[in-house]
Amino acid sequence: MKFKRLGDMLTATGVITKEQLEYALKKQKETKNRLGKELVEEEFITEEQLIETLKLQLGLDSIDLSKVTIPGSLSEFIPKKIANNYGLVPVKLEGDSLYVAMSDPLNFMALEDVKAVSKKRIVPLIATEDSIQRNIALLYGNESATKAIEDMKREIDDTLFGTVLIDSFVSNVIDSDEQSAPTVRLVNSLIEWAVSEHASDIHIEPDEKEVRVRMRIDGLLRHIMTVPKDLQASLLSRLKIMGGMDITERRIPQDGRSNARVKNSDIDLRMSTLPTIYGEKFVIRLLDKNTQLLDKTRIGLKERDLQKYMQLINKKNGGVVLIVGPTGSGKTSTLYTMIRELNTEESNLITLEDPVEYNISGINQVQINEKTGMTFSGGLRAILRQDPDIIAVGEVRDGETAKIAMRAAITGHLVLSTIHTNSAVSTLDRLLDIGVEPYLISSALNGVISQRLVRKICTHCREEYAPSSEDLNSIGLSPNEDYKFYRGAGCPHCFGTGYRGRIAVFEILVINKKLRNAISNGAKREEIADIIYMNKDFVSLADNCRKLVFEGITTVEEAKRITNTEDYDYEN
């Protein structure tokens, strides 16, 4: 049977334009993605539109995996390695027919391999790639972790275990090889589970009678599993070996670093231990080196904010651009997005970081080391003797670093950095508080990008509702008008929270002549705030949050949560 091509079907039905198809086909050659996946990643279509089109194209049924509980016994028919390699998961068994959810049901090699290994008739079903990966993690992750714990109990002899553990650490490829030591399999399962859930951190926390494992998903910690107390030492020893730490030292905090390849992603693991009364708490920060967040079109920049962002980083005569927000607001991702945008053959771009989180080819990255005297201020002075065009400073922590950065900007260098403040207005206050003279700020500062991360409504359980007058008042809307808002009802995809994934929300201040004069003349905070907020080109964080609520991307509660400071008052 000859199928009509996916791109032709999407253009024929008006879902995408021919220009969008041509762009996706061009990008596909670089990314090696399937066309459907590329169109989704470019946000030309949704996964739901892709599935509906594939159903018409192939005449197959689809399945919503969020409404299905997959029996653990089905893992016996398809090995985890095959499920991961082909991106598929068994769903149900009826007689001699095994129903298998696939994001690419045209992969005939996958169908043949599954048929051969399961000895069943295979019935393919279409499902979203994200839901398949999550169910692979749930089906095989629980099984792998549980089996590894049982095996660890049987091999509790420390001497034998220590030998197996060290000998087993010869590869940083994360998989669930049954021949690996039980502790290796348990750690691998946890890391793979975290990657599939897009977790940013894994917390391993000893208690009096057990060890608790939690993962930070969409900014909030979720309990995943518990490990028996008598396996605590073996688990932590394995993690310490991975991170290059001293396994005999349990009294002082240690830091380590490792890397792993999970499926097709290179994951950087930053590890930290902290002695507690019940043993060492272990935290692993996961950084995806292949993350797509390092792209200006995918971090949440849109329309006027995107134009102002490009205006700031394309300044030819130098200046300082500050990215501001509290811890965990995505500042580092935005900074790296800028660095990648400015990384060209013609520019000498040098970064000063603590620590270096992503290794980027083509730029000079410098690691801060306080013990050897390589501080931000000292490193910045050294960089200025290296003929730089662009300097990226991980964080402005003191007045000395800020002053050196400002003076470097006045002499024609573009300086990018981050600072912990709540808004554009409070950033100017902070610079003055740490001793930067008003004339330096007005001469050197080009702009301030303030940002937060808001949780997105889960697309699998999103529902419309009529907001209460309290909801409307909380974001500055009149209760006399009719509005339709959205929220998540809660489903397995989002752990019942109603949220899945996060997006950055911004306010971008470009310093204009009027504002420069006010800063230079020592204007008070209120006067500066009036100049900023009365500028028609300035869109505040609160206004951008309200827009996301209107668009059904986030909720009123999220908007209130991130604008609940004196800098953001909807009544202003």
Side-chain angles (χ1 to χ4, degrees):
M1 180 185 294
K2 187 174 182 181
F3 298 110
K4 191 173 181 181
R5 292 188 300 181
L6 177 64
D8 292 338
M9 291 185 69
L10 289 168
T11 53
T13 54
V15 177
I16 61 171
T17 65
K18 288 184 178 179
E19 290 74 20
Q20 288 174 324
L21 175 59
E22 289 172 5
Y23 179 82
L25 288 169
K26 183 179 177 181
K27 288 283 289 184
Q28 185 188 16
K29 293 177 182 177
E30 301 173 14
T31 62
K32 308 300 182 186
N33 286 335
R34 300 188 314 277
L35 178 59
K37 182 177 181 181
E38 189 63 45
L39 288 166
V40 171
E41 290 190 354
E42 296 297 335
E43 297 184 354
F44 293 154
I45 62 172
T46 64
E47 279 200 291
E48 287 71 24
Q49 288 174 316
L50 174 62
I51 286 175
E52 287 302 312
T53 307
L54 286 172
K55 284 169 65 178
L56 291 172
Q57 182 192 28
L58 305 175
L60 298 176
D61 288 331
S62 64
I63 185 169
D64 183 352
L65 292 177
S66 67
K67 299 176 181 177
V68 174
T69 300
I70 300 176
S73 58
L74 292 186
S75 62
E76 300 172 9
F77 295 99
I78 301 178
K80 183 178 182 181
K81 189 166 287 187
I82 288 181
N84 274 327
N85 286 346
Y86 292 125
L88 51 84
V89 66
V91 175
K92 64 178 178 178
L93 181 66
E94 287 186 354
D96 199 43
S97 297
L98 182 64
Y99 290 77
V100 179
M102 308 175 67
S103 58
D104 182 15
L106 281 176
N107 191 334
F108 298 111
M109 185 180 293
L111 291 170
E112 288 301 313
D113 282 357
V114 171
K115 182 180 178 181
V117 75
S118 67
K119 307 290 192 296
K120 302 292 181 184
R121 188 177 75 87
I122 304 303
V123 181
L125 301 170
I126 308 171
T128 63
E129 186 168 354
D130 187 59
S131 68
I132 289 172
Q133 293 301 329
R134 185 169 189 275
N135 276 276
I136 288 174
L138 289 173
L139 177 62
Y140 296 97
N142 273 324
E143 179 203 36
S144 298
T146 303
K147 190 173 186 302
I149 289 172
E150 290 173 356
D151 290 345
M152 284 171 70
K153 288 178 180 177
R154 286 195 293 269
E155 295 186 7
I156 201 66
D157 179 68
D158 289 336
T159 305
L160 175 60
F161 180 76
T163 304
V164 174
L165 179 67
I166 295 171
D167 289 347
S168 295
F169 185 57
V170 295
S171 171
N172 63 352
V173 177
I174 298 297
D175 58 32
S176 296
D177 186 353
E178 291 298 320
Q179 303 305 312
S180 299
T183 312
V184 174
R185 300 205 312 271
L186 176 58
V187 170
N188 287 356
S189 294
L190 291 177
I191 293 172
E192 194 170 11
W193 197 339
V195 171
S196 68
E197 292 291 352
H198 307 293
S200 60
D201 302 85
I202 303 172
H203 289 241
I204 298 169
E205 303 165 319
D207 208 339
E208 184 178 5
K209 297 180 179 178
E210 62 187 15
V211 179
R212 180 173 59 166
V213 179
R214 295 192 292 170
M215 294 180 187
R216 188 172 296 279
I217 300 169
D218 295 337
L220 299 177
L221 283 171
R222 306 281 177 205
H223 181 268
I224 298 299
M225 67 182 298
T226 56
V227 176
K229 185 70 174 177
D230 56 355
L231 305 183
Q232 176 179 324
S234 301
L235 176 60
L236 294 184
S237 293
R238 163 63 182 167
L239 289 167
K240 284 183 175 181
I241 288 172
M242 284 184 69
M245 303 181 199
D246 184 351
I247 63 173
T248 63
E249 181 57 75
R250 302 181 180 90
R251 298 164 298 173
I252 60 173
Q254 294 189 68
D255 291 320
R257 193 164 185 168
S258 185
N259 58 74
R261 185 157 184 83
V262 184
K263 297 165 187 172
N264 294 319
S265 297
D266 291 312
I267 308 297
D268 195 21
L269 307 173
R270 283 169 41 197
M271 303 174 172
S272 170
T273 68
L274 181 69
T276 73
I277 58 173
Y278 296 119
E280 292 173 287
K281 173 179 166 62
F282 207 103
V283 175
I284 307 169
R285 167 66 56 88
L286 294 93
L287 298 167
D288 187 348
K289 296 179 181 179
N290 305 331
T291 181
Q292 294 172 347
L293 282 178
L294 306 181
D295 185 309
K296 65 178 183 292
T297 62
R298 292 190 172 103
I299 61 172
L301 287 165
K302 297 179 181 177
E303 302 165 358
R304 279 189 293 174
D305 282 342
L306 182 57
Q307 293 173 7
K308 286 187 279 188
Y309 166 89
M310 295 305 297
Q311 178 185 343
L312 287 175
I313 69 171
N314 287 328
K315 286 272 188 180
K316 301 299 182 184
N317 55 350
V320 173
V321 178
L322 291 175
I323 306 163
V324 309
T327 300
S329 58
K331 298 188 299 295
T332 302
S333 290
T334 301
L335 181 62
Y336 274 102
T337 300
M338 287 183 165
I339 291 170
R340 286 187 59 174
E341 191 82 29
L342 295 165
N343 183 17
T344 64
E345 285 285 338
E346 296 78 24
S347 297
N348 178 19
L349 199 163
I350 306 177
T351 72
L352 196 58
E353 306 173 62
D354 183 24
V356 174
E357 294 197 9
Y358 295 98
N359 298 321
I360 302 177
S361 176
I363 66 173
N364 306 283
Q365 295 175 272
V366 180
Q367 171 79 49
I368 291 296
N369 189 338
E370 300 278 355
K371 294 178 182 177
T372 62
M374 177 59 82
T375 61
F376 275 112
S377 56
L380 195 47
R381 287 193 183 94
I383 285 173
L384 289 172
R385 296 191 289 271
Q386 291 284 314
D387 185 31
D389 297 297
I390 303 163
I391 304 169
V393 182
E395 184 184 346
V396 171
R397 294 178 180 172
D398 53 62
E400 186 180 9
T401 304
K403 289 175 186 176
I404 298 170
M406 295 286 175
R407 292 194 177 100
I410 291 173
T411 58
H413 303 93
L414 177 61
V415 181
L416 314 172
S417 191
T418 71
I419 191 168
H420 288 280
T421 59
N422 284 329
S423 67
V425 177
S426 58
T427 300
L428 300 176
D429 284 343
R430 176 64 57 83
L431 291 172
L432 291 168
D433 288 343
I434 61 178
V436 184
E437 294 84 351
Y439 82 89
L440 264 181
I441 300 173
S442 64
S443 302
L445 190 61
N446 284 345
V448 179
I449 300 174
S450 179
Q451 68 180 79
R452 300 288 191 282
L453 290 177
V454 295
R455 290 183 293 169
K456 296 193 295 183
I457 299 171
C458 176
T459 56
H460 294 91
C461 60
R462 193 178 80 150
E463 61 182 18
E464 189 181 274
Y465 76 102
S468 65
S469 57
E470 184 182 349
D471 283 341
L472 296 172
N473 282 326
S474 68
I475 59 172
L477 296 175
S478 169
N480 299 323
E481 297 184 45
D482 290 329
Y483 293 97
K484 293 293 183 185
F485 287 176
Y486 297 85
R487 62 191 171 195
C491 68
H493 273 276
C494 58
F495 291 91
T497 63
Y499 298 98
R500 185 70 175 162
R502 291 189 291 177
I503 189 172
V505 57
F506 300 89
E507 68 174 23
I508 300 182
L509 171 65
V510 178
I511 308 295
N512 58 24
K513 187 175 181 181
K514 185 176 182 180
L515 189 54
R516 286 190 195 281
N517 290 336
I519 295 169
S520 182
N521 294 329
K524 294 183 178 179
R525 176 192 172 97
E526 292 75 18
E527 184 182 342
I528 288 174
D530 286 342
I531 293 172
I532 292 174
Y533 290 114
M534 290 175 68
N535 182 351
K536 293 181 179 178
D537 192 45
F538 179 77
V539 182
S540 72
L541 195 72
D543 287 337
N544 274 331
C545 271
R546 182 160 50 187
K547 186 177 179 184
L548 291 179
V549 172
F550 285 147
E551 293 173 351
I553 295 172
T554 194
T555 61
V556 172
E557 289 74 22
E558 278 294 282
K560 287 192 292 187
R561 179 180 66 82
I562 71 161
T563 57
N564 189 23
T565 73
E566 63 179 12
D567 292 309
Y568 300 107
D569 184 352
Y570 279 108
E571 300 301 321
N572 283 344

